Amino acid sequence: MRIALQGTGDAGGTPRYGCECAACRNIRRGPTHATVQTDGMQIMLDAGSTFPLQPPQAVLLTHFHIDHVQGLFPLRWGKGDPVHVFAPDDPERMKVLFGTPGVLEFHHPVEPFDLGSLTVTPIPLQHSVPTLGWLLEDNEGCLAYLVDTKGLPDASLDLLRATPIDLLVLDATSPPGSDDPNHNDLDEAFEIVRDLKPHRTLLVHVSHDLDTWKLGRSFDMPAGVEFVSDGHALAVVQGK
Amino acid sequence: MRIALQGTGDAGGTPRYGCECAACRNIRRGPTHATVQTDGMQIMLDAGSTFPLQPPQAVLLTHFHIDHVQGLFPLRWGKGDPVHVFAPDDPERMKVLFGTPGVLEFHHPVEPFDLGSLTVTPIPLQHSVPTLGWLLEDNEGCLAYLVDTKGLPDASLDLLRATPIDLLVLDATSPPGSDDPNHNDLDEAFEIVRDLKPHRTLLVHVSHDLDTWKLGRSFDMPAGVEFVSDGHALAVVQGK
């Protein structure tokens, strides 16, 4: 499978209105979301873009905050076959957002399921609303998309420790020492990397505060861990 | 003043999921919205884009349907001076969308007001929810932005007939003969053009149905009326 990270920023995006920090003067990040391409199938990981894309066959939604679902609003006015949206069960937020779901058909899996050539496993995360990460596996590689989260629940850690992860896409919102109860700061992201030992890690959901922090200093990055820009694309293959 | 039409499509966008029509195979339109640039001021006409832009100093909102307000969600997490959002008074929809308004400061003008070098006049439109068009005038020219609407209320027609309009940006959603109660079809848009006699007209909020209709035939376009693509930019000057 191939993944393209269309967006790598947080809910406020970069630049922020009225902000003169180094990041906001130099960097541009849209809401974190990605597209996974397999043989004959396009899957959205979160629906961050409201501009028409090549329409996906399925959407894996982490949660119902607006920066992760906004792309579903135009998508629902499609026609023909339903668009299957796999998401946590969050009836109240879904009702406000999708009183008119159109062609969207919501599913709330708790066990692994097949999606084309992939096996997909929902991974409960720790956020302010019900949130799921997603583990995508085929015979070429294994991708874990863990956004938005602060740390990981024990059961999710156990499951992920037992899985060799080729590519981890991980929430790293704030500079070290942040007290955000809903997102990893950089040290917390590194701790997850050391625990899960993925072959390669891309840090996403990056705030202007973290970008400004890292523009201003040198610091130790664990091997195989990278910050990337909106639009970054790569293949997920075993051990690469 | 200069205007750039970042988006020219309807709520579903083009292409639509699952649609194989000629428009959806060939054309791309995002939600209708524009940016007006004057000396030292950037103003958004509707907030259709959720990706970070150069932050505006003000937003003129036509109504609270999601394709017109979605860009406010990231904008609200700015800092410093408030972002002034001029909009119709629609408390219920505003409450659902903006329980957390952040730096957004909403205003509900019913009379003309000054915005930098511009005089701005709210123009009541005819849509499924409270909706305002916007008339922007400076000493170089006059721009009318009339989206989303089916026809125009009598009082708005009277006001606009008394105003020489240099550039009209007008809702033209459907092919002739549509029964959509909330948007102009092409004939209804042409009727407004014949009535108001603007120097130049750009048709927006164009659906995939209208694009497919016009790809398939020749038809009479009134002088000075154009369809344009997302990204179209021009200066609004008297008689041009």
Side-chain angles (χ1 to χ4, degrees):
Chain A
M1 77 188 111
R2 289 188 60 78
I3 183 170
L5 291 152
Q6 277 93 16
T8 58
D10 69 354
T14 304
R16 292 209 181 189
Y17 168 80
C19 187
E20 292 292 323
C21 75
C24 288
R25 282 186 279 110
N26 292 288
I27 292 175
R28 181 185 161 105
R29 294 189 191 271
T32 289
H33 65 291
T35 307
V36 168
Q37 191 100 39
T38 65
D39 288 348
M41 196 167 200
Q42 179 146 304
I43 301 163
M44 284 165 71
L45 286 167
D46 281 324
S49 172
T50 58
F51 275 85
L53 297 163
Q54 286 310 313
Q57 278 77 47
V59 183
L60 302 174
L61 217 64
T62 56
H63 63 298
F64 285 90
H65 278 155
I66 194 77
D67 49 319
H68 294 260
V69 303
Q70 55 201 7
L72 297 183
F73 291 108
L75 194 56
R76 69 187 156 155
W77 302 125
K79 58 165 82 170
D81 293 338
V83 180
H84 295 284
V85 182
F86 301 89
D89 198 9
D90 190 351
E92 198 183 338
R93 257 171 220 93
M94 281 184 61
K95 189 176 142 196
V96 171
L97 289 168
F98 299 107
T100 312
V103 298
L104 306 180
E105 194 169 288
F106 287 94
H107 308 271
H108 308 295
V110 292
E111 297 290 336
F113 61 98
D114 290 336
L115 190 60
S117 58
L118 297 173
T119 301
V120 178
T121 305
I123 310 284
L125 303 183
Q126 288 178 160
H127 195 49
S128 54
V129 299
T131 301
L132 292 174
W134 297 100
L135 195 65
L136 282 67
E137 296 170 272
D138 64 9
N139 54 19
E140 289 180 340
C142 171
L143 163 68
Y145 179 80
L146 306 182
V147 173
D148 297 358
T149 195
K150 185 185 187 80
L152 291 168
D154 287 344
S156 297
L157 274 173
D158 288 345
L159 189 153
L160 292 165
R161 282 172 186 143
T163 309
I165 299 169
D166 299 300
L167 181 69
L168 172 61
V169 179
L170 181 63
D171 183 322
T173 298
S174 319
S178 149
D179 56 0
D180 186 333
N182 298 311
H183 292 284
N184 290 328
D185 67 24
L186 189 60
D187 283 342
E188 292 163 332
F190 288 168
E191 198 177 312
I192 290 173
V193 170
R194 281 191 294 269
D195 193 338
L196 302 185
K197 302 178 181 60
H199 193 83
R200 189 171 174 187
T201 301
L202 307 181
L203 301 175
V204 297
H205 209 274
V206 175
S207 69
H208 65 150
D209 289 332
L210 176 51
D211 270 325
T212 290
W213 182 90
K214 71 190 177 61
L215 281 168
R217 72 203 68 216
S218 65
F219 58 99
D220 288 331
M221 285 279 278
V225 180
E226 298 161 76
F227 289 98
V228 293
S229 304
D230 284 18
H232 191 79
L234 72 165
V236 181
V237 286
Q238 277 158 14
K240 286 197 181 163
Chain B
M1 79 189 109
R2 290 188 58 79
I3 181 170
L5 291 152
Q6 277 92 16
T8 59
D10 69 354
T14 304
R16 290 207 184 193
Y17 167 79
C19 187
E20 292 291 323
C21 76
C24 287
R25 282 185 280 111
N26 292 288
I27 292 174
R28 182 186 160 105
R29 293 191 193 271
T32 289
H33 66 290
T35 307
V36 168
Q37 192 99 37
T38 65
D39 287 349
M41 194 167 201
Q42 179 146 302
I43 300 163
M44 284 165 69
L45 285 167
D46 282 324
S49 172
T50 57
F51 275 86
L53 297 163
Q54 284 312 311
Q57 277 77 47
V59 182
L60 301 174
L61 217 63
T62 57
H63 64 298
F64 286 90
H65 278 154
I66 193 79
D67 50 320
H68 295 259
V69 303
Q70 56 201 7
L72 297 183
F73 291 107
L75 194 56
R76 69 188 157 153
W77 300 126
K79 59 165 82 169
D81 293 337
V83 180
H84 295 284
V85 182
F86 301 89
D89 198 11
D90 191 351
E92 199 184 337
R93 255 170 222 92
M94 281 183 60
K95 189 177 143 198
V96 171
L97 288 169
F98 299 108
T100 311
V103 298
L104 306 179
E105 193 170 289
F106 287 95
H107 308 272
H108 309 294
V110 291
E111 297 290 337
F113 61 98
D114 290 335
L115 192 60
S117 58
L118 297 173
T119 302
V120 177
T121 306
I123 311 284
L125 304 182
Q126 289 178 160
H127 195 50
S128 55
V129 299
T131 301
L132 293 174
W134 297 99
L135 195 65
L136 282 66
E137 297 170 271
D138 64 10
N139 54 18
E140 290 179 341
C142 171
L143 163 68
Y145 179 80
L146 306 182
V147 173
D148 297 358
T149 196
K150 185 187 187 79
L152 290 168
D154 287 343
S156 297
L157 274 172
D158 289 344
L159 189 153
L160 291 165
R161 282 173 187 142
T163 310
I165 298 169
D166 299 301
L167 182 69
L168 171 61
V169 179
L170 182 62
D171 182 322
T173 299
S174 318
S178 149
D179 56 1
D180 185 334
N182 298 312
H183 292 283
N184 290 328
D185 68 24
L186 189 59
D187 284 341
E188 291 163 332
F190 288 168
E191 200 177 310
I192 290 173
V193 170
R194 281 189 295 269
D195 192 338
L196 301 185
K197 301 178 182 59
H199 192 83
R200 190 172 174 186
T201 301
L202 308 181
L203 301 175
V204 298
H205 210 274
V206 175
S207 69
H208 65 148
D209 289 332
L210 176 52
D211 271 325
T212 290
W213 181 91
K214 70 187 178 63
L215 281 170
R217 72 204 68 216
S218 64
F219 59 99
D220 288 332
M221 284 281 278
V225 180
E226 299 162 74
F227 289 97
V228 293
S229 304
D230 283 19
H232 191 78
L234 72 166
V236 181
V237 286
Q238 276 156 15
K240 285 195 182 165

